[in-house]
Amino acid sequence: MTTVDPGIFFPINFYKFAQFGRVYELRIASTIILVLIFLSAMLFPSVYVRPARGIAPDFSLSADQSSLSVKESYTIYINNVPESKYYGANDNLLLTSLNGFSGTISLTYSAASSIDFGFTTRHFKQYSVSLSSNSSIQVVAGFYAYAIGNYNLTITGTTGSIVHSITLPVTVLPSPDFSIAASPSSVRLLPGSSAGSTFTVSSVNGYSGLVSISICVNQGCVGSPVPVTATTSPTSVSLTSGGSASTTINVTALSNAATGDYIVNMFGSGGGVTNGAATIDALVGPYFDLTANPSRFSVPKGSAGTSTITLTSHVPYAFNATLQASVAVPLTLCNPTCPVPPTVSISPSTVLLPAFGTATTVLTVSTNATTMAGATIAVSGGGCNCNLPSITVQLIVADPPGQSLTLDGVNVAITPSLTVSGNTVSGTVSVTVTNATSGSTIFSKTFTVSFSFSSGQTPQFVLVMPSTVGALGASCLTNPSSDQTSCMVSKDPDINLDGAVDISDLATLALAWNRVPGSPNWNPSLDLNGDGRIGILDLAIVAINWKVPMFP
């Protein structure tokens, strides 16, 4: 039998041919898939394409302008009201999705304190944007700057762990402007008179152009009439770079103008700039002024002192001026008697005041042993159909070298020698208590006094002294301005003798209220002022010595 080689018998290997056909079919299928993917990408570009393995989604942050410049912004004051001038610059930020990124990006910034920055027209300090996959979004960034110089502005975009920043150099340039000033800045007027002032406009940082001038006086700025008017001619000036120009302001007080300050406000406007910092203080004053020399003086009790009053005229004619004085005194308690105000007089009370000249008169102040301290004397002028001046003179009523006081048949001689340094009183007080009838000495002592007091308070203390009628108390006040000490004598206000005048003493006094000699449980030591009744004056003595330092 003969074996036939299949390879010879079958010149074509059908098995291999079948395998080749299968590979061809696979290649045809792959080509069709690739063509379909290509057509999808062409026809539907927004279809998500999976990024290549190892490339993470991201975003980019960029700006249209890589550097910025802006004029300096600042604030002026018009009638003490701040008016801001802003010169700003904008830049467009572009955020772009990379590798299919999508999400919310938070935008922040970092800049010098002199730069006021914000995102969008609403000037947000922080801003967030939502960025879609394979898209871009634009955000407006704007800023103002308040100081000339070079700065860096850093803008940062953050989402999760992804952070991108850009830094923009910022140059702040001086802004063209102009300054305004008035000289003199104050004028003095009489009703019906006028005064002038020079109004100067000066170029700043190269400003050039026309500057218009407008004026208003106090409430007249909002339409209310005022008795002072102001005008200028011309109403505008032309400035060259670095130059200046002037005009005249004429200020007039109407015939019915009352005494007072009237503020003339002047504004300059031009080139988008308005300045309102120049003012003139127009004082519609009296026909004459008053001054006192001295304006504060000390007069010992029982003596007199004087102050020279000088009158200065502001009108071009002579007239008779009259003067009068009044006294204002502090409220005080009457114990044991009411203190009296000082007596004042002016001589001469009428003086002939020459045109633009001066004249003098004398204020005399007289006191007695019961004159109170701390009086204020007002001296006012008159004698013309005009606005009248007024001044004040402060009077210090000083104690004589020693005081002699009487209570319940005893005499108390008090000689203080105290000084006030800062908030501390220190020194000595000599006290002698004698029988008013026989003159024999009951008690004599030199007290050493030293204590502190609070600012704004009058230093006060109590000396405790034995006598035939029981313990006495000398309530003393020291004037910090003159070192003078005045005292009054009563029964010891420390009723329960515990070393302090407090609520316990007040309660004891209250329990004996309105009792008189002969009343049940009458106690003469509670009749502090010795008037034969326990009442409001005794209560006042406790009140004025409430918790003050005591020296037994």
Side-chain angles (χ1 to χ4, degrees), residues 395-406:
L395 174 66
I396 299 171
V397 180
D399 293 320
Q403 289 180 267
S404 180
L405 305 171
T406 300

Side-chain angles (χ1 to χ4, degrees), residues 14 30 51 65 107 121 184 281 285-286 364 445 487 496 517 537:
F14 286 97
S30 298
Q65 303 178 71
L107 294 174
T121 55
D281 182 10
T364 301
K445 179 179 179 179
C487 302
N496 66 349
L537 296 179

Side-chain angles (χ1 to χ4, degrees), residues 355-436:
F356 295 119
T358 62
T360 60
T361 186
V362 176
L363 170 69
T364 301
V365 182
S366 301
T367 66
N368 61 29
T370 60
T371 298
M372 65 182 62
T376 299
I377 303 166
V379 179
S380 56
C384 59
N385 183 20
C386 58
N387 302 298
L388 302 178
S390 180
I391 58 170
T392 59
V393 177
Q394 186 67 40
L395 174 66
I396 299 171
V397 180
D399 293 320
Q403 289 180 267
S404 180
L405 305 171
T406 300
L407 179 73
D408 278 359
V410 297
N411 292 331
V412 181
I414 301 176
T415 304
S417 180
L418 299 173
T419 59
V420 180
S421 178
N423 288 350
T424 301
V425 177
S426 59
T428 61
V429 181
S430 297
V431 176
T432 300
V433 180
T434 59
N435 186 294

Side-chain angles (χ1 to χ4, degrees), residues 32 63 97 99 101 112 129 163 178 235 279 287 291 323 357 405 433 440 460 477 499:
I32 292 172
S97 168
N99 305 324
F101 171 89
V129 296
V163 180
F178 56 85
T235 58
T279 60
Y287 285 7
T291 57
L323 295 175
L405 305 171
V433 180
S440 60
Q460 185 176 351
L477 293 90

Side-chain angles (χ1 to χ4, degrees), residues 186-190 193-195 281-289 314:
S186 64
V187 294
R188 185 161 193 154
L189 302 169
L190 294 172
S193 67
S194 298
D281 182 10
L283 173 62
V284 179
Y287 285 7
F288 62 97
D289 282 336
H314 301 294

